[in-house]
Amino acid sequence: MRTEARVVVVGGGVAGCSVAYHLARLGWTDVVVLEQHELTEGTTWHSAGFVGQLRSTVSQTRMIMYSSSLYAELRERTGLDPGWRGVGGLRLATTPEREQELLRQVSAATTYGLEMELLSPAQALSLLPMLDVSDVRSAGWLPGDGYLRPEPLAAALAAGAHQLGVGFHTGVRVTGVEVERGRVRAVQTDKGRIATDVVVDAAGAAAGHVGRLAGVAIPIVPIKHQYVVSSSLDGADLPGIPTVRDPDHIVYFRGEGDGLLVGGYIRTPEVCWPEDGSPPLATARTLFPPDLAKFEESWANAGRRVPALRAARIDRVVHGPEAFTPDGEFLLGETAVGGFWVAAGFCVHGLAAAGGVGKVLAEWIVDGQPEFDVSHMDIRRFGGHAASRSWATAKALDAYSRYYDVVYPYTEWSAGRPLRRSATWPRLEPLGAALGEKAGWERVNWFAPPPAFVPSAPRPTGWAGQVWSPAIEAECRATAEAAGLFDQSSFAKLDVHGPASFLQRMCAADVDRPVGTVVYTQLLNARAGIEADLTVTRLGETHFRIVTSTASGVRDLAWLRRHAPDGVSVEDVTGGYGCLCLWGPAARDILQPLVDEALDFRFMRARRLTIGPVPVLAQRVTFVGEFGWELYTPTEYTLTLWDLLLSTGGPSGLTPAGYRAIDAMRLEKGYRVWGSDITPETTPDEAGLGFAVRTETDFLGRDALLAARAAGGPDRRLRCLVLDDPRTVCLGTEPVRVDGRPCGRVTSGGYGYRVGASIAYAYLPSTVDVGTKVEVGVFGSWQSAEVRSDPLYDPRNTRVRGVR
């Protein structure tokens, strides 16, 4: 046993072995991998090994595509077969809804550069004659799909890491993690102590237990997952047949020996162990007794799809633990304890993504950021409520039970709700609020429209019309014609105390401005990628208020604290303040009678006011392109302020409104949304945000930004597209082609009710200029669109300035 190491990886499954291998490839060879049993004997060994490259996000797809490309390298480096079987994969659709999903997936595959073809039932049958395709409407064919043998893959990764100097110690149980002043200092084991500054928790279904040893809450929920292997079937080369997913019948299968491996996602999943604090996976190769009653639906549906199975029996049952998360996404990144990293929660996709997981985590540890945008997998996406086992379990079980459902954009789930509620909560139900959830916050998507309201905009076709309401148009029109009142209390709010030089270093814009100034800016990484998009308000000489998106607060807080020097504090004050946004041409007329001073301060300025009896920080900021204010008040005053504004503004046409109206109006104004339009992989110049950057003084990312400008500027730019057919509305990820050649993808889209157009944003080559005709792939058909100058609405910002 070593007594010290640069990195200690806890867990000898494919994730731990891959992280170690990729760290060593980047030159960090002083790495120790600890496994309490033998390698793979936690959750890896019993994996069914399916590799479906097309995932719900571009980054996860790229990670799995990278994994597939890694196998040849492993074979060459180690001489070992990593267990990859590239047999291709079929995805079946037996309902119109599933067929639409396949069409959307084909479009997404085009944007990712992934080969996918839509087949007829006869074509699917020709690839796999044992299928019954009598009810199949179409099938997606992905020739790059296949499956992996778990133990050969882990062995190849471990051998490659070992050749580069990584040490492996099996039969070693981690008993503690020493933390000093918020940072990892050592790992305690039953074989001794290892001093280290970096620990990677890759313990699979036991990752939550390992996290607790370091005082870190990791929302891992071990859930029982079951598959079976059939008796012998009459068929040649069954291991060589394509993998098959039949989500309408919650079943998947592939060849295994001379039979079929059949799995499924049951509707009534169960957690693996009681919450009694005992260590999970204490026994090697843990399995649970078969539960064939719960598997009956999947087995019966497999027999309908493969008639030869009807005469077969079940020869083997594998009922094991798998690590799931509350939202079905991976858990990657550094935790609140410095140096304690996580690579877990793979929701049965650990083998498929193992190579990509090792790559991005190793890059993150060594270089400070990974190549791919993995913000949606970042463990810091969760708030403090994720420490609750009951909440995490309710969300994870719900996500598992819906795994094969057709999920329409904007669909809302009810598990684990309500949790975080604004002070206006008592007023929402009487107003007919349709609620959504973001980062645990209950937020209004829209309110019931007035009974007499007659919509003029067309209902979108296809999926865009599934979760839609004429109330969105009513709220957009009311905001543009009079005023809208929006509760945005879920905004994340961070108070920074310290000299202005800290935020000058962190922000791309000049924030060392007079007290009362509001600055829109980005936080960049060393590659000039956008880590955060936010406003900074100077409240005092050494007091700044940052307002960022609901889902980004924990992540942005961690980013700032990571770079903060001694003497600077960054605190989350989100729950302490409500935020009501009063926007629209009548906003001044509504607010002025309630205050004792003239509302004459300019755009991007802040002032403390008393609105009636309510103390408020009023910021002349808008995210909808109309005149008005963000009004911040201590939480205990928020409901009073809501009632006061609505009662005063009612005669002027003030209307309560929700987040879907905000999104429609921000599209018309060209306002970017972090996580879709802008990410850590996009720069301000690419995103059209160069106006918000000052280069006279130094800031993080400046060198990379200036180098790109010196080299001729960005090769791509975010462009505004207007579709010819206003009823065709983009939802994101749709491919865009110019002159018949795919060259970009939609980042966000929607309908603009003030301009009467279907709007989409997409990164396109810089040579594609305004006025160019393009085509957007929407559910299998190419729709004409035109590149337009943005913003489409009020390009001179006269309405923002209050000019009527």
Side-chain angles (χ1 to χ4, degrees):
M1 279 290 293
R2 299 271 298 280
T3 58
E4 60 181 348
R6 191 174 193 178
V7 182
V8 173
V9 178
V10 182
V14 289
C17 292
S18 182
V19 170
Y21 174 70
H22 285 86
L23 282 170
R25 281 186 54 187
L26 293 177
W28 284 33
T29 57
D30 184 12
V31 178
V32 171
V33 178
L34 305 179
E35 168 56 49
Q36 63 178 336
H37 307 300
E38 296 300 316
L39 296 184
T40 79
E41 290 192 339
T43 51
T44 293
W45 72 276
H46 61 71
S47 172
F50 280 66
V51 177
Q53 295 186 86
L54 182 62
R55 312 309 305 171
S56 59
T57 66
V58 61
S59 292
Q60 198 175 111
T61 300
R62 289 164 70 186
M63 287 167 65
I64 296 177
M65 291 172 69
Y66 167 81
S67 298
S68 299
S69 69
L70 177 65
Y71 307 134
E73 173 188 313
L74 286 173
R75 187 189 298 270
E76 180 178 348
R77 181 182 290 273
T78 67
L80 299 176
D81 176 9
W84 168 242
R85 302 294 181 264
V87 295
L90 285 168
R91 301 186 182 198
L92 308 182
T94 63
T95 64
E97 296 79 12
R98 190 70 64 182
E99 193 166 29
Q100 286 292 301
E101 182 183 58
L102 271 185
L103 288 169
R104 182 165 166 77
Q105 288 172 343
V106 170
S107 293
T110 301
T111 72
Y112 304 157
L114 181 63
E115 186 178 356
M116 182 177 181
E117 182 182 358
L118 199 65
L119 305 182
S120 68
Q123 289 173 312
L125 185 64
S126 68
L127 284 173
L128 190 53
M130 66 169 56
L131 293 179
D132 179 346
V133 297
S134 59
D135 62 339
V136 173
R137 300 174 63 94
S138 60
W141 168 242
L142 292 106
D145 280 7
Y147 65 94
L148 282 159
R149 300 290 188 187
E151 289 170 291
L153 174 61
L157 286 165
H162 184 70
Q163 288 177 4
L164 294 170
V166 172
F168 287 83
H169 298 283
T170 59
V172 177
R173 184 167 57 89
V174 173
T175 59
V177 178
E178 295 179 20
V179 177
E180 180 182 317
R181 294 186 178 183
R183 289 202 60 86
V184 166
R185 286 293 175 256
V187 172
Q188 294 280 1
T189 79
D190 59 354
K191 300 293 192 299
R193 178 182 184 271
I194 305 176
T196 185
D197 291 328
V198 178
V199 172
V200 178
D201 180 358
H209 172 75
V210 174
R212 287 192 290 275
L213 297 177
V216 174
I218 299 175
I220 291 288
V221 180
I223 295 178
K224 297 177 181 179
H225 187 71
Q226 194 168 207
Y227 66 80
V228 304
V229 178
S230 77
S231 60
S232 177
L233 303 181
D234 291 331
D237 191 29
L238 287 179
I241 67 172
T243 64
V244 178
R245 291 171 175 82
D246 186 359
D248 290 324
H249 298 94
I250 60 170
V251 67
Y252 59 83
F253 54 89
R254 64 167 175 82
E256 175 72 2
D258 55 3
L260 291 183
L261 182 154
V262 179
Y265 290 84
I266 60 176
R267 299 294 187 185
T268 55
E270 296 179 359
V271 295
C272 295
W273 298 284
E275 297 175 0
D276 58 7
S278 58
L281 303 178
T283 303
R285 295 180 175 257
T286 297
L287 289 178
F288 305 102
D291 191 348
L292 293 180
K294 283 199 169 186
F295 198 71
E296 185 176 358
E297 182 181 3
S298 292
W299 179 248
N301 286 336
R304 295 187 186 98
R305 184 62 60 215
V306 181
L309 271 178
R310 299 171 193 171
R313 66 181 184 277
I314 294 174
D315 261 5
R316 181 162 58 98
V317 179
V318 177
H319 193 196
E322 294 284 358
F324 282 79
T325 64
D327 59 2
E329 286 283 4
F330 299 172
L331 291 180
L332 302 176
E334 191 175 19
T335 68
V337 171
F340 191 87
W341 294 74
V342 176
F346 300 122
C347 309
V348 307
H349 298 302
L351 258 68
V357 164
K359 168 186 163 64
V360 299
L361 203 74
E363 292 169 345
W364 210 342
I365 293 170
V366 174
D367 300 328
Q369 68 263 333
E371 177 185 358
F372 305 149
D373 169 28
V374 292
S375 55
H376 58 288
M377 306 177 199
D378 194 326
I379 189 170
R380 295 168 298 181
R381 66 187 181 271
F382 295 113
H385 54 275
S388 163
R389 292 188 187 180
S390 61
W391 176 85
T393 298
K395 297 289 282 187
L397 289 173
D398 185 59
Y400 181 104
S401 70
R402 301 177 187 274
Y403 184 83
Y404 270 157
D405 288 359
V406 175
V407 179
Y408 300 105
Y410 305 115
T411 296
E412 303 285 354
W413 308 122
S414 60
R417 297 174 56 189
L419 180 61
R420 307 171 79 179
R421 287 176 273 189
S422 163
T424 64
W425 175 264
R427 301 294 186 262
L428 302 184
E429 184 176 354
L431 291 171
L435 295 170
E437 179 265 337
K438 176 75 75 172
W441 281 95
E442 294 294 319
R443 312 195 309 176
V444 177
N445 285 333
W446 62 76
F447 291 96
F453 177 73
V454 178
S456 60
R459 179 173 185 141
T461 58
W463 278 20
Q466 290 289 335
V467 185
W468 167 91
S469 170
I472 303 168
E473 178 184 355
E475 292 168 10
C476 291
R477 283 170 49 179
T479 302
E481 295 167 7
L485 183 62
F486 303 83
D487 184 351
Q488 292 201 279
S489 298
S490 67
F491 271 159
K493 311 165 196 79
L494 311 176
D495 271 8
V496 180
H497 292 272
S501 56
F502 167 61
L503 286 179
Q504 280 288 85
R505 168 64 179 160
M506 297 303 299
C507 298
D510 180 11
V511 297
D512 191 4
R513 307 287 296 281
V515 172
T517 303
V518 183
V519 177
Y520 169 64
T521 186
Q522 290 79 43
L523 309 183
L524 307 184
N525 56 40
R527 297 195 302 250
I530 301 172
E531 289 287 338
D533 183 68
L534 42 79
T535 61
V536 178
T537 303
R538 191 167 199 169
L539 301 179
E541 285 302 313
T542 59
H543 182 196
F544 300 83
R545 170 75 49 77
I546 287 176
V547 178
T548 186
S549 68
T550 300
S552 301
V554 177
R555 188 177 184 277
D556 294 353
L557 176 68
W559 180 262
L560 290 166
R561 283 180 171 173
R562 173 183 171 186
H563 293 88
D566 292 341
V568 172
S569 68
V570 188
E571 301 299 329
D572 187 343
V573 296
T574 300
Y577 298 93
C579 175
L580 303 183
C581 299
L582 176 65
W583 290 321
R588 191 194 304 272
D589 296 337
I590 293 168
L591 197 59
Q592 185 65 76
L594 299 174
V595 299
D596 297 329
E597 58 186 278
L599 296 171
D600 57 0
F601 55 103
R602 294 178 295 145
F603 186 56
M604 302 304 283
R605 297 293 187 272
R607 183 181 296 175
R608 296 192 183 277
L609 306 171
T610 302
I611 300 176
V614 177
V616 165
L617 174 68
Q619 298 193 165
R620 275 275 282 114
V621 178
T622 179
F623 199 55
V624 299
E626 301 289 350
F627 177 87
W629 296 268
E630 293 175 353
L631 305 173
Y632 295 89
T633 186
T635 298
E636 66 268 26
Y637 292 100
T638 305
L639 184 58
T640 300
L641 181 61
W642 174 271
D643 290 342
L644 181 61
L645 290 172
L646 277 182
S647 62
T648 303
S652 300
L654 179 62
T655 298
Y659 275 81
R660 294 289 297 280
I662 291 175
D663 193 53
M665 290 186 281
R666 73 92 187 166
L667 282 167
E668 297 170 300
K669 280 297 293 179
Y671 295 149
R672 281 46 168 156
V673 167
W674 191 87
S676 55
D677 303 317
I678 49 180
T679 74
E681 293 186 48
T682 57
T683 70
D685 288 351
E686 291 173 329
L689 298 175
F691 68 89
V693 177
R694 53 109 172 106
T695 57
E696 296 78 18
T697 56
D698 192 26
F699 58 86
L700 183 59
R702 175 178 179 268
D703 291 346
L705 195 66
L706 291 179
R709 290 179 179 180
D715 294 328
R716 60 173 186 165
R717 296 184 186 274
L718 189 65
R719 293 297 196 185
C720 175
L721 312 179
V722 173
L723 279 73
D724 291 356
D725 178 8
R727 296 190 66 200
T728 301
V729 174
C730 293
L731 298 167
T733 75
E734 293 87 353
V736 181
R737 67 184 187 186
V738 179
D739 296 329
R741 181 176 62 87
C743 58
R745 66 182 180 88
V746 171
T747 58
S748 62
Y751 189 83
Y753 295 94
R754 292 174 298 187
V755 299
S758 176
I759 306 166
Y761 281 84
Y763 281 96
L764 300 177
S766 297
T767 53
V768 178
D769 211 342
V770 172
T772 302
K773 296 296 289 186
V774 302
E775 294 175 295
V776 183
V778 184
F779 289 99
S781 65
W782 290 98
Q783 302 290 325
S784 297
E786 184 178 333
V787 179
R788 298 277 187 90
S789 295
D790 68 305
L792 298 172
Y793 180 74
D794 187 30
R796 296 182 180 274
N797 283 329
T798 56
R799 296 184 70 88
V800 170
R801 295 197 303 270
V803 179
R804 304 192 187 184

